[in-house]
Amino acid sequence: MAENAKIERILRLYPDECRPRHIELLAAPLSFSGAGLWRIASDRGQLCLRRWPAGHPSQQRLEFIQAVLWHVDQEGFHHVALPLETQHHHGYVWHEGHLWELLPWLPGAANYRAQPSPRKLEAAMVALARFHKAASTFPLPETNPVASPGMDERLARIRELLGEGDAELAGAIETGGWPEMAVRAGRLLSLFAAVAPKLLSTIESATRLRVSLQPCIRDVWHAHILFEGERVSGIVDFGSLRPENVAADVARLLGSLAMDDRADWDRGMAAYATVGRLSADELSLVSAFDRSTVLLGGMQWMQWIFVEGRQFGDPKAVLSRVDEFVTRLGRLHEIVGE
């Protein structure tokens, strides 16, 4: 009840039509960001109240994210939830160390993994391409082709782990606290040690490519794509949005949807190309982003769990997520070892 009273205080800052008739705390096992989500029944309709994790994103970053979302909506892409304004015309509320947003509730369900189909894969990639097209006209300070900032960060992380970072990570792994995860951690560390040196030159080459930047989602995966039937009804969770090359989003989403199925990769790339074509350098970046995601994704989870001590509400969902990285990294090991 105390939590509901806090939410009611926050919602009083919004127009009267947003006052809650019912408040429902949402359990989100596939949302690992640490955000809090509530479904609000109001006179305005179904709303979503989001409490961002403390410190992420910053107020300045959230304002940038909201500006991009308003821009893409103005450009004709309407599959995003635009933040509602408070009575003082702010797009968010600052309360007890957290940023809060109130959003319209988008229809549909993130059910690709439960009910996959070729048409849904194609629809997701077309929706991403249309988001990119709408966001491409958002003004950014940097307009000249530059190195991908995400690829630079990945190269730095790989070098760090190839130095002493993996040894530090191995030393932090506790077998007693979560034995199932510790087994997976050992496998990930072994595979990383075998694969990373063989991928290093590929990632280094990718950082030398000069490409255009625009607002990109950067953490777009199957759990963030809503469907009604086989039609995309929404894209959610833009907390990682920042300037990047579109190849980062293409690799992130298609790697999540297709994993290592080459036919699905070809289908997804063809669907994206019906709206936005990638240059040869961007196609190279897609491959580099996907491979570096496979290489580093599981290691990042080990960092969160064993070094930073993060807690997650659904351990089984976390184990399943880590298993995907173990499986894909094992396949990547087979490929680069040939």
Side-chain angles (χ1 to χ4, degrees):
M1 293 301 294
E3 191 73 23
N4 281 3
K6 179 194 299 184
I7 290 170
E8 288 175 359
R9 288 198 302 272
I10 292 170
L11 293 176
R12 288 192 197 107
L13 299 172
Y14 287 86
D16 289 345
E17 63 182 357
C18 299
R19 300 291 169 83
R21 296 201 309 263
H22 179 72
I23 300 172
E24 177 188 359
L25 173 64
L26 299 179
L30 290 180
S31 177
F32 303 116
S33 67
L37 296 173
W38 290 263
R39 179 157 42 194
I40 308 297
S42 73
D43 289 343
R44 182 162 182 150
Q46 294 288 317
L47 305 176
C48 178
L49 180 67
R50 173 191 288 269
R51 182 191 64 204
W52 288 100
H56 176 78
S58 66
Q59 183 173 332
Q60 182 179 15
R61 177 62 64 82
L62 183 58
E63 289 173 353
F64 172 75
I65 293 169
Q66 292 185 346
V68 171
L69 296 184
W70 281 318
H71 179 87
V72 299
D73 182 74
Q74 289 294 315
E75 291 290 300
F77 185 84
H78 304 307
H79 293 318
V80 297
L82 300 181
L84 303 181
E85 289 190 346
T86 68
Q87 296 182 48
H88 299 289
H89 306 293
H90 294 217
Y92 54 85
V93 171
W94 177 264
H95 183 71
E96 294 186 354
H98 292 269
L99 291 166
W100 300 69
E101 284 183 302
L102 187 63
L103 311 156
W105 187 267
L106 291 179
N111 59 7
Y112 182 84
R113 282 292 173 85
Q115 302 170 20
S117 76
R119 287 188 178 181
K120 288 171 77 171
L121 186 149
E122 291 168 351
M125 296 307 297
V126 168
L128 178 64
R130 289 175 175 164
F131 173 89
H132 284 161
K133 184 177 181 179
S136 66
T137 54
F138 186 87
L140 293 175
E142 179 61 67
T143 58
N144 295 319
V146 295
S148 158
M151 196 53 60
D152 282 344
E153 291 169 359
R154 291 172 184 224
L155 177 59
R157 180 58 174 161
I158 293 170
R159 286 173 171 168
E160 178 186 0
L161 289 169
L162 285 174
E164 298 182 355
D166 61 340
E168 294 174 0
L169 186 54
I173 295 172
E174 298 180 6
T175 58
W178 195 352
E180 299 93 342
M181 187 61 76
V183 171
R184 291 162 171 80
R187 178 65 173 153
L188 284 167
L189 287 169
S190 175
L191 286 169
F192 178 87
V195 174
K198 296 178 179 180
L199 278 187
L200 190 59
S201 62
T202 298
I203 306 304
E204 289 173 337
S205 296
T207 64
R208 292 192 286 270
L209 298 174
R210 294 297 178 263
V211 291
S212 61
L213 302 186
Q214 66 163 73
C216 289
I217 306 169
R218 297 179 60 250
D219 188 29
V220 55
W221 62 303
H222 70 82
H224 295 164
I225 307 296
L226 305 180
F227 292 93
E228 287 187 310
E230 294 187 317
R231 180 183 67 85
V232 171
S233 57
I235 301 177
V236 298
D237 200 341
F238 295 88
S240 296
L241 188 149
R242 77 174 189 195
E244 182 53 85
N245 183 261
V246 296
D249 282 353
V250 172
R252 183 74 175 90
L253 181 55
L254 197 45
S256 169
L257 299 173
M259 300 186 73
D260 295 305
D261 187 314
R262 297 316 307 175
D264 277 353
W265 269 88
D266 291 343
R267 180 178 290 109
M269 293 296 289
Y272 184 93
T274 62
V275 177
R277 293 193 175 276
L278 302 178
S279 68
D281 285 348
E282 288 171 333
L283 289 172
S284 295
L285 269 182
V286 169
S287 177
F289 265 112
D290 182 59
R291 289 190 165 195
S292 57
T293 293
V294 173
L295 181 64
L296 293 173
M299 299 293 277
Q300 184 60 59
W301 276 99
M302 299 307 100
Q303 174 76 21
W304 287 335
I305 293 166
F306 293 109
V307 177
E308 300 177 16
R310 294 194 191 184
Q311 301 293 316
F312 300 93
D314 190 336
K316 289 184 179 180
V318 174
L319 287 171
S320 177
R321 186 81 176 112
V322 172
D323 282 341
E324 290 184 9
F325 284 113
V326 173
T327 299
R328 291 203 69 199
L329 188 52
R331 290 171 181 162
L332 184 57
H333 179 229
E334 295 173 359
I335 293 170
V336 301
E338 293 177 352

